[in-house]
Amino acid sequence: ETWDDNPFIDDPEDKKPEDWDQPETIPDPEAKKPDDWDDDMDGEWEPPMIENPDFKGEWRPKQIDNPNYQGEWEAPMIANPNYFEDDKLYLQKDIKYVG
């Protein structure tokens, strides 16, 4: 028997919206190639990247209550027949030497 201690699970009916996948950064549409840019010397010009206003982050399905949730697992208390309470456990005989 497996114990299910997750109070929530992903909603199996929740689907990712089609417009969700957007890049985190996009080329700056207002950036212009510098006048003194030489493709032979400087390489191909690429506009600087800016944050994408349509970026929504990583998609995760909604969480719903887990119908199989059984609560936090607790270890059962089992009586130990060898246990006894010793109220002098911490006492030691006189210590004559240190180190």
Side-chain angles (χ1 to χ4, degrees), residues 8 11 39 49 58 78 90 99:
F8 302 101
D11 184 355
D39 287 337
M49 302 299 273
E58 180 182 347
I78 300 172
Y90 60 91

Side-chain angles (χ1 to χ4, degrees), residues 10-11 14 59-63:
D10 294 342
D11 184 355
D14 194 18
W59 182 83
R60 293 188 182 137
K62 293 177 185 172
Q63 298 286 295

Side-chain angles (χ1 to χ4, degrees), residues 69-87:
Y69 179 60
Q70 297 170 309
E72 291 290 325
W73 183 82
E74 293 182 19
M77 298 301 287
I78 300 172
N80 182 351
N82 297 327
Y83 175 77
F84 64 94
E85 196 164 327
D86 185 359
D87 59 348

